[in-house]
Amino acid sequence: MILARLPRRVWVGLGFIAAALVVVLITSPLVGFVTENEWYSALGIGDVYRTRIAYEALLFFVTFAISLGYAATNVWIALRLRSGTALRAAGIRHRVVRTLVGAAGLTAAALIALVVAAGARTRWTDLALFLHYTPYTSTGVTEPLYGLNTSFYLLTLPFLHDLVGWSFGLVFTVGLLTAVLYAWRGRALDLRLSPQAIGHLSVHLGLLGLTLAASAFLGRYDLLYFHNGVVWGAGYTDVNVRSGLAVVQAALLLVLAGLMIANAGLRRLWVAVGGMSAWLVVSILVGAYPSLVQRIVVQPAELSRESPYIKREIDFTQRAYGVRDVQVRPYGGNAQVTAQDVGADQATIENLRLWDDRQIQQTYQQLQSIRTYYSFNHIDLDRYVLDGRLQQVEISSREMDQSKLPLQAQTWVNQKLVYTHGYGGAASPVSAVVGEGLPDYVTGNIPPQGPLQVTEPDIYFGELTTDYALAPSAQPEFDYPKGSDNAFTTYRGTRGVPLSGVNRLLWAMRTDDFNLLVSDQVQDRTQILFRRNVQSRISAIAPFLELDDPPYLVVVNGHLYWIQDAYITAGTYPYSQQERVAGDGVNYLRNSVKAVMDAYDGTIGFYIADPTDPIIRAYAATFPGLFKPIDRLPAGLPAHLRVPAHQFFVQSVVYGTYHVSVQDPSVLYNREDIWDLAVDQPYYVEIRLPGETQAEYLQIVPYSPFKKQNLVSWLGVRNDPGHYGQMTAFVLPKDRVVLGPQQVSSRIQQTPGFSSARTLLNQQGSSLIEGTLLVVPIGDSFLYFEPVYLKSTLTTQALPELKFVILTDATGLSPVTFQPTLQQALAQLIGEAPVSTGPPGAQPPVSANPEVTRLLDDALREYQAALDALRNDDLAGYQQHIRKAVGDVQEADQLAHGSGAAPPARPAPPTPSLPPPG
C-alpha cells in the first residue's frame, strides 16, 4: 500500500512538530553536556569528562553506523525480493521503500541500531582497558594453560566478549526482522518462503554461525575462571576435553557458516534446516561428552586427577586477593595474662576499645549535636598523636541535616543559601571515660575545642550533603550557633561553577529549579556546589571504581578531609575463587585507589595505592593526570591511611580457606584445615605485635576451626607507613585449646557477679547493654574485653553510659572480672585485687553486721525513691536520692571489709537527660 498524498499544509504542520521534538530531544543532552563539562572543569579535570565522552561517542556512532547500515541493507534487500522479480523483469517499477511495510521495516532497523549502539556505549570502560593492554599493564604472571599473561583476562577478554555479543545480537535481531518481512502478507503471516528468501535468510544463518564460532573459541579462555567441578578454573575435564572441544566446535561452526552462505546461491530449504540440525547435535554432544568424562574418568580418582589444578587454584586465588605473601608465625595464646604482660603492653591496654559505635554515636548525637539540625552520620576509627602518645580515636563529623529543620523553615532560601554546611565534629579516645561514664572529647563543642585542633570546621562536602547549594550569595550563610545568636560566614572556595551570564539558565534547566533563575539572592559571584556527597562525587568522576566502604573523616593541620577507599574488581582472573563484593561475584580484588576530598571546597585527588594492579594502570593511561602516585599524598595524610575494612574482610575469608600450602592440594580438596572467622568482622586496634617493640595500628581477626568455637589462629594487617598492607598470620598450637569468643561469652553470662548485676540493673527503669566482645593478643596470651553500658528506659533522650568493663583471658583458668573501670578489672585479672563474686559496688557483706544490712536497705529505698523522682521529672530529687544511695553503699562496703578509714567523698550522681518540655 502506497502512502496517500497529503496536503501541503499538513506536511508543514508535521514539519513544525518534528522540529519541536528535535529541539526538545537535543536540548536536554546538550544542557547536560555543557553543565557536566563546566562541573569537571571547575575541578580542574575537564579532560577526564571529555575523554570519557569521546570513548562513549566512538562506540555509539561506530556501532550505530555499522548496525544501521547492516539492518537497513537487509531490509532493503528483503523488500525488493518480496516484491517479486517477475515484475522487474517485465520492466514494471514497483515501490518497495515508500510503503507501509517499507516504513515499518526501516523504522525497526533504526530502532535495532539504536538499541545495539546504546548498549555498546555503556561498555566504554572495556574499550579503554582493551586499548591499553600494553607491556606497561602486564602483571608479569602467566597462566599455565595457554601461556597468556593474566592481564589478557582482565583487560582484553571482556571487550572481545562485548564484540561477539553485539555481533550476535545484531545478526539475530536483523535476521528475525528479515524473516518477518518475508512472511508479512498484509494482515497475516505466510511462512511459505520463496527461494530468494531462503537464500537471503541462509546468509543470516551463516553470519550467526560465525559469531557462534567466535564465541566458542573465546569459551576456551572462559574455562580458566569458570567453576565446572571441584576446581575454580580449568580442571582435568576442562583442560583435556572442553578446551579441545571448543576448537572443534568453532571449526564445525565455521564449516556450517560457509555452507549457509553458499546456500544463498543454492536456495535449498533442506540445506538450511540440515545446517541448523547439525549445529544442534554438535551442541548436545559438546555439552554431554565432558559430563560423561567427568563422571567415568575423573570422579573415581578425583584427587589424583585434579591435584595439579587444585595447586593452580591455591596459587592464583592467593594472588588475586593479595594474600600470597602472608607471613606465618607461631603464637602460644594459652598463657594467663600476667602483670608483666600488662606492664609491657601498656599501649595495647590504653587503646582497648570500650566504646561501641552505636553507643558512642548516640552519645555524640545527644551531647555534641548542639542543635536539632546537626547529625553525626556514623563513627570512624583512626589514630592521632595526642599528648605525645599515639591513641586510637573515634571521630565523627557534625553535618547539616536539612530534613531535621522545622517544616516551616524548609524553604528554598534556607535549603540552598543559608543552611549550606555542617560544622566540625566530635572525637574521643576509644578507652577514655570521664564523669559518670561519658567519653573524653579531644575535639568537640561549637566552636571546636580540644587538643585535636580544627581550624577550618565548615563541611560543605560530606556524607549527608545530598543536594546542591548556592554560595556565596546575597544571603549570609549560617555558620554555627553562638549563644542566643548565630554566627554567619561566606563561602571562599573556588571549586563550584559560577552562575554568571547564561550559566544561570543552563543550571536552572539542569536542576529543574526555576528559583535559581529568578531569585535576586543569586549573584554573578555565586557558585553552584554540585554533587556534594563524597561517594556521588567520586563515582561521577571515576565510575569504574567500587565504593563499598564509607569514607572516613581525617583532621590534618586543622583541616578536615575525607578519605575514600576505592576498589578495582574483576570476575575473569584465572583459577581464582569467587567472592561477593558489592553484591557481585568477583574473583579479583584490589584497593587500588585512595581518594581524598577536601571537606570545605570539594577538591578531590585520586592516588594509586596499589601500582601492581594492571587495571588501574590502564585507567591511569586512559586519563593522564587524574591518578597520582601515593607518595604525592599531601603531608600528614599518609599517617591516616588504613587497609579498608571490606577488603580485609574478603581477604580474611579467602585466607581462611587458602592458607594451605600449594604443595599439598589434598588439604584443600578434603577441606581438612578450613578456618572460620571467630567474629563477625575484623576490627582496628592499636597494639604491639608479638616480637615488635612499638605499638602500631592494625586490623585483626581471630579464626576458629570450621564449625568449632576455639581459636586456631589470628590474622593481622599493618596500617602504618613503612609497613602498610603487610599481613601476618599467628598460628596457635593444634594440641592446645584456646577459648574463642563464643566460649568466653558463655563464661561471662555464667559469672555470678555479672548475672546478678544484669538482673538487678535490667529492672526499675534501666537497661543494661552489653557491648561488643573483642580480643587482642597481649604477651603470649589473649585478652578478652567487653564494655557494659547502662541506659535509662524512662526517657527516649537517655544517654548510654559506660558503667562496667569485663575482662578475662583465653585460658579458662583466669577469673572473669567485672568492674566499673578498666584498671580495677585489670587489677583483679592479674591478681592484684581480690575477685568479687557479686555486682561491683554491691558485694554482700562478709559478716552478718546489722549496720551493714541497715545501710544496704537504706540504699535500696533511696534508689527506688530516685527512680520515682525521675519518673516525675524531679531532677533535683533524683540527684539527692542517688547521692544518698551511693553513700550508703560505700559506708556499708567500708564496714563489711573492716576498714577504719573514712569513706571516700560521695561522687556526684549522673545527670539524666530529660525530654524537652512539650
Side-chain angles (χ1 to χ4, degrees), residues 310-383:
I310 295 175
K311 290 181 179 180
R312 297 176 183 178
E313 178 187 344
I314 296 172
D315 181 25
F316 280 81
T317 298
Q318 290 176 350
R319 293 177 185 273
Y321 293 98
V323 294
R324 189 169 184 262
D325 298 322
V326 177
Q327 299 179 11
V328 180
R329 294 166 55 182
Y331 186 74
N334 64 331
Q336 291 181 275
V337 175
T338 65
Q340 184 179 0
D341 295 331
V342 173
D345 276 324
Q346 273 300 303
T348 299
I349 299 300
E350 292 173 357
N351 284 281
L352 296 180
R353 181 145 58 102
L354 302 182
W355 286 102
D356 283 356
D357 290 355
R358 181 179 176 82
Q359 315 306 329
I360 197 73
Q361 184 178 14
Q362 292 180 11
T363 302
Y364 282 6
Q365 188 63 43
Q366 292 194 42
L367 297 183
Q368 285 294 320
S369 59
I370 313 299
R371 292 291 187 269
T372 58
Y373 39 74
Y374 286 128
S375 285
F376 290 89
N377 188 46
H378 72 86
I379 302 297
D380 300 317
L381 284 169
D382 203 352
R383 68 281 198 196

Side-chain angles (χ1 to χ4, degrees), residues 701-731:
V701 61
Y703 288 108
S704 295
F706 181 60
K707 293 188 177 180
K708 301 290 185 181
Q709 294 186 354
N710 59 289
L711 293 186
V712 67
S713 176
W714 64 277
L715 180 67
V717 62
R718 306 169 85 171
N719 293 281
D720 291 343
H723 304 289
Y724 180 88
Q726 295 178 4
M727 282 188 277
T728 304
F730 295 86
V731 182

Side-chain angles (χ1 to χ4, degrees), residues 1-5 94-95 98-100:
M1 182 180 65
I2 302 176
L3 292 175
R5 295 185 177 275
H94 187 70
R95 291 179 177 177
R98 295 180 61 182
T99 64
L100 181 60

Side-chain angles (χ1 to χ4, degrees), residues 30-40 497 506-507 510:
L30 184 61
V31 168
F33 173 78
V34 173
T35 53
E36 282 289 291
N37 187 62
E38 288 183 335
W39 183 77
Y40 279 84
V497 178
L506 291 174
W507 282 94
R510 171 65 187 269

Side-chain angles (χ1 to χ4, degrees), residues 84-125:
T85 57
L87 293 177
R88 291 196 300 274
I92 300 176
R93 297 175 60 85
H94 187 70
R95 291 179 177 177
V96 296
V97 175
R98 295 180 61 182
T99 64
L100 181 60
V101 176
L106 291 177
T107 301
L111 290 176
I112 290 173
L114 279 174
V115 170
V116 174
R121 183 183 68 87
T122 64
R123 310 302 295 180
W124 68 269
T125 54

Side-chain angles (χ1 to χ4, degrees), residues 8-217:
R8 181 182 179 85
R9 62 178 181 275
V10 174
W11 286 109
V12 171
L14 291 175
F16 277 114
I17 295 174
L21 287 174
V22 169
V23 170
V24 171
L25 292 175
I26 291 179
T27 298
S28 180
L30 184 61
V31 168
F33 173 78
V34 173
T35 53
E36 282 289 291
N37 187 62
E38 288 183 335
W39 183 77
Y40 279 84
S41 298
L43 292 173
I45 52 174
D47 288 343
V48 172
Y49 178 65
R50 291 187 288 272
T51 298
R52 192 182 84 190
I53 291 299
Y55 277 106
E56 292 181 350
L58 176 66
L59 280 174
F60 180 85
F61 288 112
V62 170
T63 307
F64 181 76
I66 294 174
S67 300
L68 184 61
Y70 177 78
T73 299
N74 279 278
V75 167
W76 181 78
I77 293 173
L79 292 174
R80 283 182 59 84
L81 292 179
R82 76 187 294 274
S83 65
T85 57
L87 293 177
R88 291 196 300 274
I92 300 176
R93 297 175 60 85
H94 187 70
R95 291 179 177 177
V96 296
V97 175
R98 295 180 61 182
T99 64
L100 181 60
V101 176
L106 291 177
T107 301
L111 290 176
I112 290 173
L114 279 174
V115 170
V116 174
R121 183 183 68 87
T122 64
R123 310 302 295 180
W124 68 269
T125 54
D126 290 347
L127 175 62
L129 297 180
F130 177 81
L131 294 177
H132 292 90
Y133 177 47
T134 65
Y136 171 71
T137 56
S138 170
T139 61
V141 178
T142 301
E143 50 85 7
L145 183 56
Y146 304 121
L148 296 173
N149 191 283
T150 53
S151 291
F152 167 80
Y153 295 88
L154 299 175
L155 306 180
T156 302
L157 187 58
F159 188 69
L160 295 180
H161 276 299
D162 291 340
L163 290 177
V164 172
W166 299 333
S167 301
F168 179 85
L170 176 63
V171 173
F172 183 77
T173 53
V174 173
L176 285 179
L177 174 61
T178 305
V180 169
L181 290 176
Y182 281 123
W184 190 359
R185 294 291 184 268
R187 297 182 179 182
L189 294 177
D190 186 356
L191 300 180
R192 292 173 297 176
L193 301 176
S194 66
Q196 294 84 356
I198 293 174
H200 187 192
L201 292 176
S202 293
V203 174
H204 282 291
L205 290 176
L207 295 176
L208 201 62
L210 291 177
T211 62
L212 290 174
S215 179
F217 188 79

